[in-house]
Amino acid sequence: MKSQPDNTAYDPDTVVIGLDIDGTQYMYADPSQDVHSDALIATLSHLREENRAFVVHDTGRPFPWKCYGDINDRYLNPRIAEPDVMVSHAGTVVWWPPFDKPDQEWRNHILSKTSLEEIDELKTDLQAIGLDLHPEAHDAEFKISCLVGDVDQQEVVASAKELIAQKYGGRFEVFFWNSATVDVTPVGANKKDALNYVRGKVGLGQAKTIVAGDSMNDYPMLAEPKFSRILVGNASSPLKDAFARQQGAFIADESQPAAQGVLAGLAHFGVTEPNYVPAPRTQRVWSRQP
């Protein structure tokens, strides 16, 4: 496996596949879906071995994996294939093999737009308008996660956006990714931006790109019109509503949650044949824990 980006290693027909993890590739709260996640692992592994796909796991979660609160073994051992690149913290950190330290160039890109001092100030201001910091915010340099609490989430998002527009000149963007959490990241450092950075580094900036997600922090990469978009069957209602009438978006049926929806989308976009069943694999589920 390559330890540095190599822009000569990929065929021009290689497809970039950027996938959210939780609720998209597997469902850690529903082991009955593991058979489909295993099929997705086998499919992605086969495509990578044939140099037909460049796989990016593009997640909002911390990396190496951490679980806050009750330790959840299935969360700490996500059921996913080995990737070519890992993007974590909602697009604010990029990891190349051997996945032991973040990409410094991407970090410097973010620091050209903001500073760690400004981010600390924004955290204080968000708390002042009634938001509590999610525990993972304490470990993240650039991603701020806030717990919404018992208030209307849309109002929280609107308040955070107003604060950012007035005091910070719009240098940050706000996403919600479930009913209890809001994420704030520097502008230009979301899941789409990180994926585009990775594509450029490996010479796949013009390659066909397919992305898949289930929640609103996936919106930036799903909103890129140049990408083929997959919304899995369990995608949130706000996300489905945003793409209900957009071309280039495959919205899986509700009977196709998570990995089933990704597999259906890959077939829809011609990466695999309909009802494709990969040969059994011996590859273990990929994981990196602290």
Side-chain angles (χ1 to χ4, degrees):
M1 176 177 289
K2 296 170 285 297
S3 60
Q4 297 292 331
D6 181 354
N7 61 9
T8 67
Y10 302 101
D11 187 280
D13 293 328
T14 300
V15 176
V16 177
I17 301 177
L19 304 175
D20 176 49
I21 293 178
D22 302 302
T24 299
Q25 296 190 57
Y26 89 121
M27 302 179 75
Y28 67 83
D30 187 358
S32 71
Q33 293 293 317
D34 285 356
V35 61
H36 306 292
S37 296
D38 291 345
L40 179 59
I41 291 169
T43 298
L44 296 176
S45 299
H46 180 71
L47 292 171
R48 288 183 71 231
E49 287 172 4
E50 291 196 338
N51 209 29
R52 293 169 54 201
F54 181 89
V55 175
V56 181
H57 295 326
D58 206 341
T59 182
R61 61 155 69 192
F63 180 82
W65 317 133
K66 295 181 181 180
C67 186
Y68 296 89
D70 294 335
I71 296 299
N72 185 313
D73 288 340
R74 286 179 56 81
Y75 185 85
L76 290 173
N77 294 280
R79 214 164 187 91
I80 55 177
E82 185 172 5
D84 291 285
V85 176
M86 169 65 64
V87 173
S88 69
H89 296 82
T92 59
V93 187
V94 173
W95 308 78
W96 301 94
F99 307 105
D100 56 351
K101 56 186 177 181
D103 182 294
Q104 189 63 39
E105 184 178 339
W106 183 243
R107 182 176 184 272
N108 289 340
H109 161 76
I110 299 174
L111 286 173
S112 72
K113 299 176 176 296
T114 185
S115 66
L116 298 180
E117 292 76 17
E118 186 175 53
I119 289 172
D120 284 340
E121 183 179 356
L122 177 55
K123 288 179 181 179
T124 300
D125 288 340
L126 290 169
Q127 290 174 290
I129 64 172
L131 294 175
D132 294 325
L133 295 182
H134 191 290
E136 75 174 46
H138 301 297
D139 295 330
E141 273 196 311
F142 302 117
K143 173 193 171 187
I144 305 173
S145 288
C146 300
L147 298 170
V148 173
D150 296 327
V151 295
D152 182 86
Q153 190 175 40
Q154 298 295 341
E155 290 184 7
V156 169
V157 171
S159 298
K161 287 182 175 179
E162 182 179 2
L163 166 67
I164 289 167
Q166 291 182 354
K167 183 173 180 179
Y168 295 92
R171 291 189 298 277
F172 297 88
E173 51 193 333
V174 184
F175 310 99
F176 62 90
W177 58 272
N178 64 22
S179 60
T181 312
V182 167
D183 287 347
V184 180
T185 64
V187 166
N190 56 43
K191 289 188 175 187
K192 179 196 75 175
D193 297 319
L195 182 57
N196 279 331
Y197 168 75
V198 166
R199 293 166 70 228
K201 291 293 287 185
V202 297
L204 292 172
Q206 302 302 315
K208 178 177 180 179
T209 299
I210 300 174
V211 294
D214 72 300
S215 64
M216 285 302 291
N217 74 357
D218 299 315
Y219 181 86
M221 65 178 180
L222 290 167
E224 173 53 67
K226 294 183 294 186
F227 296 169
S228 298
R229 287 76 60 83
I230 301 171
L231 281 70
V232 293
N234 57 299
S236 68
S237 294
L239 193 66
K240 287 183 177 179
D241 291 345
F243 292 95
R245 285 179 285 277
Q246 288 198 23
Q247 294 188 355
F250 172 80
I251 302 178
D253 186 80
E254 290 184 3
S255 65
Q256 298 172 314
Q260 289 186 73
V262 176
L263 289 166
L266 292 177
H268 173 81
F269 289 117
V271 177
T272 60
E273 296 294 326
N275 302 315
Y276 166 78
V277 178
R281 320 296 297 176
T282 57
Q283 178 173 328
R284 296 177 58 190
V285 173
W286 185 77
S287 184
R288 284 290 189 279
Q289 292 189 35

